[in-house]
Amino acid sequence: MDLKFNNSRKYISITVPSKTQAMSPHIKSIDDIVVLGINLSRFNKLTQFFICVAGVFVFYLIYGYLQELIFSVEGFKSYGWYLTLVQFGFYSTFGLIELQLIQDKRRRIPGKTYMTIAFLTVGTMGLSNTSLGYLNYPTQVIFKCCKLIPVMLGGVFIQGKRYNVADVSAAVCMSLGLIWFTLADSTIAPNFNLTGVILISLALCADAVIGNVQEKAMKLHNASNSEMVLYSYSIGFVYILLGLTCTSGLRPAVTFCSKNPVRTYGYAFLFSLTGYFGISFVLALIKIFGALLAVTVTTGRKAMTIVLSFMFFTKPFTFQYVWSGLLVVLGIFLNVYSKNMDKIRLPSLQGLINKSVDERKSRTLAQTV
């Protein structure tokens, strides 16, 4: 707004600039949600949902395949933390490049919050990658899918949320289905290791908390996805680098990977690139629809990842996988229903009884007439 004073005529001229000129880049980005150059704010909620879901499924299915492919390299299973270090380095680079493409480059979330998010991210991805050295891939994915209930508990204690019966039923169905899957896997292909179970369980706890912390921070400070990725993963990179240096685990990993650069660093680059694209869509889901729905979508993606894992990598099979998978699908349906209860009206038991009684009365009246 420009103010012009003229002493001779004694008036004030007020000039109001156009809407686009008046709004700073920071203000313009409040309602804009941009993912990989796509401004999702231009679409309605349903279209935003399908775009995010498509991005999550496409990129993370490729991500899962590459992750299992990397750990199929002979001798690599003991270097899960180094893979996480390389992955965090690529993520930080990708986040920095994306941040340079947007107008507002200011950091909005406090540094202490990022230090917490980075710690949880390291726990989630580092422990998850390391657990693959002790567990087979489907079992690891199944354990990760069980975070739905911890996410709900985190929503209650961290954000003070309250969930309805449908949400709780969805979490129970999905968890029971995944537990059944795990039991079936342990029966026909026992490849369990206590260390792997502990690692993936700790990763599960960190993963359950991080979605709620990210959602609360992004909504409170209105941070962009690229900012969240850049700062959380760059700080996490420092954490892992210090940890590997202190434990003398850095040099053996570098030596091993330098002997197989294409199958390690080459796969890791593609693995990180698809993971970065995927996490961008996951963060958009969290920001638009909340952590619970984001977890539901990623859980469905993990179920598809398991199917592809059986298709591309040789593993034993049992139909218990199918039944447990159907139970997971039921849980996903219940969660989707809980989010659209005002649009989807399922008939209640009392309504069905009343309808049956009305139909009998109508038939009796017709016979009487």
Side-chain angles (χ1 to χ4, degrees), residues 117-281:
I117 294 175
F119 179 79
L120 294 172
T121 306
V122 168
T124 297
M125 300 181 67
L127 294 172
S128 177
N129 286 337
T130 307
S131 68
L132 280 176
Y134 304 92
L135 300 172
N136 60 53
Y137 188 74
T139 305
Q140 187 241 38
V141 173
I142 287 300
F143 269 89
K144 289 171 67 176
C145 287
C146 291
K147 69 180 180 181
L148 192 61
I149 288 181
V151 164
M152 293 177 64
L153 294 176
V156 172
F157 292 108
I158 296 176
Q159 301 192 66
K161 288 186 175 181
R162 293 294 180 267
Y163 298 103
N164 56 35
V165 176
D167 283 330
V168 175
S169 300
V172 171
C173 286
M174 295 176 74
S175 298
L176 289 177
L178 296 170
I179 291 172
W180 190 6
F181 188 102
T182 305
L183 292 175
D185 187 63
S186 65
T187 302
I188 65 173
N191 191 28
F192 286 93
N193 185 294
L194 182 60
T195 303
V197 173
I198 294 174
L199 289 173
I200 195 62
S201 298
L202 292 174
L204 180 67
C205 295
D207 206 5
V209 176
I210 192 172
N212 289 286
V213 176
Q214 285 176 334
E215 178 184 358
K216 187 175 182 179
M218 292 179 74
K219 289 184 176 180
L220 180 62
H221 302 282
N222 191 44
S224 64
N225 293 350
S226 54
E227 179 196 329
M228 174 66 71
V229 172
L230 172 61
Y231 288 99
S232 59
Y233 284 97
S234 58
I235 296 173
F237 178 87
V238 176
Y239 287 165
I240 301 173
L241 183 62
L242 291 175
L244 287 176
T245 302
C246 294
T247 57
S248 301
L250 187 61
R251 179 174 294 181
V254 173
T255 302
F256 176 85
C257 292
S258 61
K259 296 178 181 178
N260 304 277
V262 176
R263 301 183 66 191
T264 53
Y265 292 117
Y267 289 168
F269 171 76
L270 297 175
F271 167 70
S272 302
L273 183 64
T274 54
Y276 177 79
F277 290 162
I279 195 65
S280 298
F281 283 102

Side-chain angles (χ1 to χ4, degrees), residues 53 56-57 60 141 144-145 147-148 174 207 278 281-282 285 291-305 332:
V53 169
V56 169
F57 269 75
Y60 267 120
V141 173
K144 289 171 67 176
C145 287
K147 69 180 180 181
L148 192 61
M174 295 176 74
D207 206 5
F281 283 102
V282 170
L285 269 176
L292 184 61
L293 185 59
V295 168
T296 305
V297 172
T298 54
T299 301
R301 186 273 307 173
K302 288 169 187 172
M304 183 63 69
T305 301
I332 295 174

Side-chain angles (χ1 to χ4, degrees), residues 109-122:
I109 298 178
K112 291 183 179 179
T113 304
Y114 272 127
M115 293 180 68
T116 302
I117 294 175
F119 179 79
L120 294 172
T121 306
V122 168

Side-chain angles (χ1 to χ4, degrees), residues 61 138 181 301-313:
L61 288 179
F181 188 102
R301 186 273 307 173
K302 288 169 187 172
M304 183 63 69
T305 301
I306 293 173
V307 174
L308 294 180
S309 177
F310 280 104
M311 292 175 60
F312 291 105
F313 299 91

Side-chain angles (χ1 to χ4, degrees), residues 72-100:
S72 66
V73 176
E74 186 177 356
F76 187 80
K77 288 189 174 181
S78 59
Y79 301 120
W81 277 109
Y82 183 70
L83 174 64
T84 310
L85 177 70
V86 174
Q87 185 180 6
F88 273 49
F90 280 129
Y91 278 14
S92 301
T93 304
F94 299 151
L96 180 62
I97 293 173
E98 186 178 0
L99 194 63
Q100 298 305 311

